[in-house]
Amino acid sequence: MNKKWLWLIYTFVVTCFLFTSPLSTHAFQDVKKDYPLSSGVVYKQYTYINSFTNSINHLSVNLNDPYTKLAVGLPSPTNQLTTTTKISNLHTREGNRVVGAVNASFFETNNNMPLYLISQNNEIVNGGVISDSRSNYVSEPIAFGITADGNADIENFDFDIKAEYRGITHDLTGLNRQRQGNEAIIFTPQHLKATTGSNSYGMEIVVETSAPVTSNHFGQVLEGKVTYIRPYGSTEEIQIPKNGFVLSVNGTKWMDIFQNTSLNETIKLSFDINPKWKDSQFMLASGPMLLLDGKPYITMDTSNYRATELAPRSAIAISKDKKTVNLITVDGRLDSFSKGMSLTQFANYLAKLGFDRAINLDGGGSTTMGIRNYGSNTVVLANRPSDGYERRVSAILEAISTAPTGMASRISASRDQIGTLLVGATVNLKVNYVLDQFYNPLNINTSNVKITSGSSLISSNGLNYTGIKSGEDRVSINYDNASQSFPVKVVDAPSTLTISSTASTLEPNMSMTFKATAKDSENNNLIYSPNQLTWSTEGDIGTISSSGVFKSNGKLGKGIIKAKLGTKEVSKEIVVKLAFEGNSYLISSLDTANGWVSSQANASSTISLAKSPDPTKLGSGSLKLSYDMTGNTSGTAAVYMNRTSPIEMPGAPLKIGVWVFGDGNENWLRGRVIDNSGALHTISFTENDGLNWNGWKYVEAPIPSSINAPIKIESLYIAQPTLSKQSKGVLYFDKLQAIYTTAYQEDLFNDVSIKHTYLKEIKYLVDNNLINGYLDGYFKPSDTLSRAHAAVLLSRALDLDTSNPLNPNFTDVEVSHPYYNEIAAVYQANIVGGKGDGTFDPSGTLTRAQMAAILVKAYKLTGAGSVQFSDVNSEHWADLSIRTLAYNEVTTGYLDGTFKPGLPVSRMHFSVFLYRSIHK
């Protein structure tokens, strides 16, 4: 029988096994994936919904398959934690391909060694330990392994470490691990360190044999003479002899036996395991057991938190005939995607799947399953670890294909387009993978790929085919013995052809992309080449490219867009008009720093998003620009806030406006825009040195009429050409907008609109940097004015020298007070005095009478007419000052004829009085 028939028969047998397994479907869960990874390994993924949703990954391993085996995968060295996928890929080679794997052994976090017994072909890889508490996972000696007869089993084991001394045999407690209380531990050269590392609370007996000890295995007997004894209390580090072992003991029982040991005495050591596990291919202890005889059987305290937590879980389960091994992982701690399971839920789930026995493996964040995908020998992550990444672990279990590289049996190819084909159109193919009969990937030689058709309605060239005649056909893709086919329909012309666009109107000088959609008689997409579709226009409105991009020539009016494919021609009307008719357009609220990046010349800068309590004018945030121009030695310094993608403004704006929270550093605020041809233009929001204010201020930059729309904003920037003025500071930007009318006015503050009664007076003070709003863009006009703030306003309005005023020695105004200089300056100018008790009361309110006296004195107002307010008589201390204000038309009082001298003055009223005083 030739090789071709052999692999065909083998493929049939394997397929029968793979797709008739009783575990292939389960009605109680949704199967997401189900396909073979090799001739004896099937991968499945389920969504299981009980109390919560859980994502399950499942590897089914058929031990009857001659090319399939299971093995323990260990990192090298054993105490070097490594990810499951990395260990798998290190072990993959021709004839030993790891096709799937799960993490397996729990491990010590202090030395990274496996916690429990592991053996391979009778060699003891790790001695392990068994807990004496059922609150821990492993409190009974149970292991999973492949026994000498090739069957899988989950069963108890009896690992014996015995020492014969003075004619009496003693059962020792451990091998090559840290000694605990009341224990007798053997250290051999296979220990991960050259010394025992035991503490001083015990004695250690060094025994040397007649030959080197190169391994530890079941059935081994080591006999030797005592060559050294470290007494109790000694801290000496004991070296493990290459040709012997060290017996380390602690506790009364063991000290009584060995405390009188003498040099040259004989000690015989033996390792053994019960017959079930003798000569096994491997065994790996874990726990707790989850299933026995098909029913939940959990060998730990199920009320313990380790058992009750809804967590990621891993397990291995076997069939009753011991020929099918199932590696199962449950993802967890991933909210609605996969909650995880308790151990009781996990055991019930495994019983529901029909397994006979099952044992728990290391889970939680270590839960990992890796598989090889079709077309690759690389094992990759199949599940979703709870940490979001794959943890490094200790021992793993590997599902291995030992099959050699065979003949091509399966091919997967994809098309770049799927649908009915227009005559003359071409479809490109991509070969995703070629597999042999064992699902091993083969190297692809594209010259071996052959494309054929049953009715010769297509022609092929390499990895593409072209329709040449209308009708229905079937295309086959062949690679040696592997093939894939699919039906193809070829037509001479589309049944329907439609034109679509994002809008039916367009602004002058703008562009719009039109798309043609062609369908066949069954309303399926039609495949055609771009050069088969032709575009044209009617009417003097612009031009359209071969790709369907229409460009307006700037003229207003209606026109027609036409598309022709084969003999089918359709048209669509387009209207060119000015679409935007508003007064303003919000370019960006600047509530995010996304899309903005900084650059600089002779300076440094950063851009970030500011939120309250930092200055924010409108919305939830503002754009913060931190800059530093200091240290520059020549030339202009500039700092840019650039758009990663310039923002296009509708219509033809006249100006661009923006709110800026200034730092008083006298920079030049500018911007850059891009016109319809892609040319860059600079616009100015201020003059040179004009960014000289503190607090929020709205500024606008005119757009020259020579800049053709559509216009895009590319950047905002500050510049300072004068070296001596190059400084560092912080600016905030908010509400970037386009303005379309010359009559547009922006509200002065969030609470001072353009219709406010005292807009003119407040705006004057703001424009002249005499008064500011608050960080949140509000002016709070009705709030009372403190004496300290009045001092600040007056010092600015009178241009007083605040650099080094004399100290007025107010007891409540320290030199460190934020407004010390201003308070001292107005006091020194004899404008505002103290309270008479040595205080200034900076936080106190300023009454209308006190305001009158201050303004009269500050601006040297004279005259006192006959106006007399009903609540201010001649005996009032501020009578003359109040009448002087009225005489100079700074105040008119209230409509009821009162002045209300004791009423605290508000921010807006002080602004009005100060404005009128300035203009006298």
Side-chain angles (χ1 to χ4, degrees):
M1 186 177 292
N2 63 34
K3 290 177 66 177
K4 179 176 179 180
W5 282 106
L6 280 173
W7 75 256
L8 284 173
I9 293 171
Y10 181 82
T11 301
F12 173 77
V13 173
V14 168
T15 303
C16 288
F17 159 72
L18 289 174
F19 296 101
T20 60
S21 167
L23 297 179
S24 60
T25 57
H26 300 287
F28 60 88
Q29 56 190 357
D30 184 16
V31 180
K32 298 295 185 183
K33 299 177 182 178
D34 187 347
Y35 53 86
L37 301 179
S38 69
S39 58
V41 180
V42 175
Y43 168 65
K44 304 173 187 180
Q45 186 181 79
Y46 318 117
T47 297
Y48 173 65
I49 301 176
N50 194 359
S51 299
F52 304 99
T53 298
N54 279 297
S55 179
I56 317 289
N57 287 277
H58 177 186
L59 289 173
S60 178
V61 183
N62 175 24
L63 298 182
N64 281 320
D65 182 79
Y67 295 111
T68 299
K69 71 174 184 177
L70 278 169
V72 173
L74 292 165
S76 181
T78 309
N79 66 328
Q80 180 67 57
L81 297 183
T82 311
T83 63
T84 299
T85 56
K86 185 174 182 180
I87 296 173
S88 301
N89 291 320
L90 287 171
H91 293 167
T92 290
R93 60 188 182 276
E94 175 70 20
N96 192 88
R97 293 180 172 96
V98 179
V99 300
V102 294
N103 65 294
S105 179
F106 295 86
F107 57 90
E108 288 273 11
T109 56
N110 60 346
N111 62 17
N112 299 333
M113 285 293 290
L115 263 173
Y116 309 117
L117 176 65
I118 299 175
S119 73
Q120 291 176 307
N121 298 315
N122 262 4
E123 183 175 347
I124 304 166
V125 176
N126 187 68
V129 66
I130 302 296
S131 174
D132 58 4
S133 170
R134 284 180 61 85
S135 64
N136 292 320
Y137 288 115
V138 180
S139 60
E140 294 186 23
I142 306 172
F144 163 77
I146 305 298
T147 55
D149 57 6
N151 288 333
D153 215 336
I154 298 173
E155 185 61 88
N156 288 75
F157 64 87
D158 183 10
F159 175 33
D160 290 328
I161 307 172
K162 297 182 181 293
E164 183 180 329
Y165 173 65
R166 294 180 180 176
I168 300 174
T169 299
H170 305 277
D171 288 320
L172 306 185
T173 55
L175 171 65
N176 289 332
R177 63 172 174 80
Q178 186 177 13
R179 187 198 66 218
Q180 305 296 330
N182 299 308
E183 284 197 317
I185 302 295
I186 290 294
F187 291 95
T188 69
Q190 286 64 53
H191 183 48
L192 64 94
K193 294 181 180 179
T195 61
T196 64
S198 301
N199 59 36
S200 61
Y201 303 109
M203 66 180 292
E204 298 201 318
I205 302 168
V206 180
V207 178
E208 294 189 30
T209 65
S210 59
V213 179
T214 58
S215 68
N216 304 138
H217 53 272
F218 301 134
Q220 183 179 26
V221 176
L222 299 174
E223 184 173 345
K225 301 289 187 179
V226 176
T227 59
Y228 186 78
I229 300 171
R230 191 194 81 173
Y232 185 95
S234 173
T235 59
E236 178 185 1
E237 283 284 341
I238 295 299
Q239 293 283 328
I240 303 169
K242 298 293 185 183
N243 62 331
F245 55 88
V246 176
L247 173 61
S248 181
V249 301
N250 169 273
T252 302
K253 169 187 173 181
W254 297 106
M255 292 297 293
D256 287 347
I257 295 171
F258 291 105
Q259 65 182 346
N260 295 319
T261 300
S262 302
L263 295 178
N264 293 317
E265 280 197 85
T266 299
I267 296 179
K268 182 187 292 186
L269 178 67
S270 64
F271 302 119
D272 216 339
I273 194 88
N274 54 306
K276 159 67 71 173
W277 294 108
K278 197 71 171 285
D279 299 319
S280 62
Q281 295 177 22
F282 72 85
M283 61 180 295
L284 183 144
S286 191
M289 197 168 189
L290 299 174
L291 290 184
L292 181 63
D293 298 329
K295 297 179 181 179
Y297 179 81
I298 302 175
T299 56
M300 76 171 290
D301 180 4
T302 56
S303 65
N304 181 267
Y305 75 93
R306 293 185 178 94
T308 59
E309 182 191 3
L310 299 182
R313 303 288 181 183
S314 303
I316 192 157
I318 62 174
S319 60
K320 192 169 184 177
D321 65 0
K322 304 181 188 298
K323 290 298 184 181
T324 303
V325 178
N326 301 277
L327 311 179
I328 309 288
T329 65
V330 180
D331 289 335
R333 301 170 184 159
L334 295 172
D335 298 329
S336 59
F337 173 74
S338 192
K339 193 76 172 179
M341 294 184 182
S342 69
L343 280 183
T344 299
Q345 291 170 338
F346 197 23
N348 290 333
Y349 172 76
L350 296 174
K352 208 170 184 179
L353 290 177
F355 304 136
D356 183 61
R357 295 190 178 195
I359 191 169
N360 184 61
L361 302 174
D362 186 18
S366 297
T367 295
T368 307
M369 178 175 287
I371 63 170
R372 74 167 179 182
N373 288 323
Y374 284 170
S376 173
N377 278 319
T378 301
V379 176
V380 296
L381 194 62
N383 72 314
R384 283 178 55 179
S386 61
D387 292 338
Y389 60 88
E390 186 181 357
R391 279 190 190 176
R392 295 182 303 139
V393 297
S394 181
I396 68 171
L397 286 170
E398 300 171 341
I400 296 170
S401 170
T402 61
T405 300
M407 302 171 64
S409 176
R410 297 166 182 83
I411 184 172
S412 170
S414 55
R415 293 168 278 176
D416 64 346
Q417 300 176 83
I418 296 177
T420 301
L421 188 67
L422 185 69
V423 170
T426 299
V427 171
N428 297 306
L429 292 174
K430 176 187 176 183
V431 178
N432 302 314
Y433 55 80
V434 176
L435 306 178
D436 69 9
Q437 66 270 39
F438 307 109
Y439 299 89
N440 295 321
L442 301 179
N443 293 326
I444 300 171
N445 182 351
T446 55
S447 64
N448 290 343
V449 179
K450 308 299 180 185
I451 301 175
T452 60
S453 70
S455 302
S456 300
L457 302 184
I458 62 108
S459 64
S460 63
N461 181 18
L463 289 179
N464 62 57
Y465 62 88
T466 302
I468 57 175
K469 186 187 298 184
S470 64
E472 295 186 0
D473 205 345
R474 190 166 193 88
V475 173
S476 295
I477 304 162
N478 305 288
Y479 190 96
D480 295 338
N481 295 313
S483 67
Q484 175 188 350
S485 66
F486 47 83
V488 170
K489 182 178 180 181
V490 185
V491 295
D492 292 317
S495 294
T496 61
L497 180 64
T498 57
I499 300 175
S500 61
S501 59
T502 54
S504 59
T505 63
L506 186 70
E507 293 191 58
N509 299 309
M510 299 283 282
S511 297
M512 181 184 292
T513 299
F514 288 83
K515 178 184 177 183
T517 302
K519 300 280 188 178
D520 65 8
S521 59
E522 298 177 355
N523 204 35
N524 296 318
N525 287 331
L526 187 70
I527 300 171
Y528 59 89
S529 300
N531 59 8
Q532 293 180 280
L533 178 69
T534 59
W535 294 94
S536 61
T537 63
E538 282 186 5
D540 187 15
I541 55 171
T543 59
I544 191 166
S545 70
S546 60
S547 60
V549 178
F550 172 75
K551 171 66 177 175
S552 165
N553 58 12
K555 296 180 181 180
L556 303 178
K558 295 182 180 180
I560 300 295
I561 303 295
K562 291 185 174 182
K564 186 177 182 181
L565 184 62
T567 58
K568 181 77 70 174
E569 184 177 71
V570 293
S571 61
K572 181 181 177 67
E573 184 180 77
I574 180 72
V575 179
V576 181
K577 68 176 185 177
L578 292 171
F580 189 79
E581 300 175 352
N583 293 328
S584 65
Y585 171 79
L586 183 64
I587 301 171
S588 174
S589 63
L590 302 183
D591 284 345
T592 176
N594 293 338
W596 293 91
V597 294
S598 64
S599 63
Q600 51 277 319
N602 299 324
S604 62
S605 65
T606 59
I607 293 175
S608 60
L609 178 64
K611 299 240 180 208
S612 179
D614 284 341
T616 53
K617 178 71 173 63
L618 295 167
S620 61
S622 63
L623 208 57
K624 178 180 179 181
L625 174 64
S626 303
Y627 64 92
D628 188 351
M629 300 176 178
T630 61
N632 181 35
T633 58
S634 64
T636 298
V639 173
Y640 298 82
M641 298 192 303
N642 305 298
R643 285 291 306 171
T644 53
S645 298
I647 303 175
E648 186 173 308
M649 297 168 280
L654 303 178
K655 296 178 287 186
I656 295 176
V658 66
W659 279 94
V660 184
F661 191 93
D663 56 8
N665 279 347
E666 297 186 354
N667 288 305
W668 190 358
L669 179 59
R670 312 190 81 187
R672 295 190 300 196
V673 296
I674 303 172
D675 66 15
N676 66 342
S677 68
L680 199 62
H681 304 268
T682 301
I683 56 176
S684 293
F685 291 90
T686 69
E687 297 178 348
N688 188 16
D689 298 343
L691 206 169
N692 57 4
W693 63 88
N694 290 284
W696 286 112
K697 186 175 181 179
Y698 177 72
V699 289
E700 293 178 339
I703 299 176
S705 59
S706 59
I707 300 178
N708 293 324
I711 300 172
K712 299 177 181 178
I713 181 75
E714 187 262 357
S715 63
L716 300 174
Y717 71 96
I718 60 170
Q720 180 49 259
T722 305
L723 282 174
S724 61
K725 291 186 176 182
Q726 291 175 359
S727 57
K728 64 179 179 179
V730 178
L731 300 170
Y732 298 85
F733 297 82
D734 212 336
K735 192 184 179 185
L736 180 64
Q737 62 182 356
I739 307 301
Y740 295 85
T741 67
T742 55
Y744 179 83
Q745 293 185 63
E746 180 80 355
D747 288 342
L748 189 59
F749 292 99
N750 296 346
D751 53 359
V752 179
S753 73
I754 58 174
K755 296 181 180 181
H756 195 280
T757 304
Y758 300 125
L759 174 68
K760 178 182 72 173
E761 292 85 351
I762 297 173
K763 187 175 187 305
Y764 174 84
L765 299 187
V766 171
D767 288 344
N768 285 276
N769 296 326
L770 301 182
I771 195 168
N772 302 317
Y774 289 88
L775 298 182
D776 59 1
Y778 286 82
F779 184 73
K780 302 180 183 179
S782 298
D783 281 10
T784 57
L785 188 74
S786 69
R787 289 169 55 81
H789 284 155
V792 172
L793 292 175
L794 289 168
S795 67
R796 293 175 182 171
L798 297 171
D799 197 22
L800 299 180
D801 183 3
T802 60
S803 60
N804 190 26
L806 294 175
N807 191 337
N809 294 315
F810 291 126
T811 58
D812 55 353
V813 182
E814 300 289 339
V815 176
S816 59
H817 192 283
Y819 301 131
Y820 164 80
N821 287 38
E822 289 84 353
I823 292 170
V826 296
Y827 177 80
Q828 184 176 332
N830 196 29
I831 295 170
V832 182
K835 302 286 283 187
D837 59 356
T839 66
F840 182 77
D841 191 16
S843 299
T845 57
L846 187 73
T847 67
R848 288 168 59 85
Q850 291 168 341
M851 174 198 65
I854 289 171
L855 291 177
V856 167
K857 186 183 296 185
Y859 287 95
K860 298 181 175 57
L861 301 178
T862 59
S866 58
V867 175
Q868 190 73 46
F869 295 105
S870 61
D871 56 350
V872 182
N873 58 37
S874 59
E875 300 300 322
H876 193 283
W877 68 269
D879 171 58
L880 180 60
S881 296
I882 292 170
R883 285 190 293 112
T884 300
L885 280 190
Y887 177 78
N888 285 275
E889 298 180 346
V890 174
T891 184
T892 58
Y894 288 88
L895 294 177
D896 61 359
T898 63
F899 182 75
K900 304 189 189 312
L903 187 69
V905 68
S906 66
R907 284 169 55 82
M908 67 177 174
H909 283 153
F910 189 85
S911 298
V912 171
F913 294 145
L914 182 58
Y915 170 83
R916 292 174 183 172
S917 299
I918 290 171
H919 288 84
K920 278 295 161 189

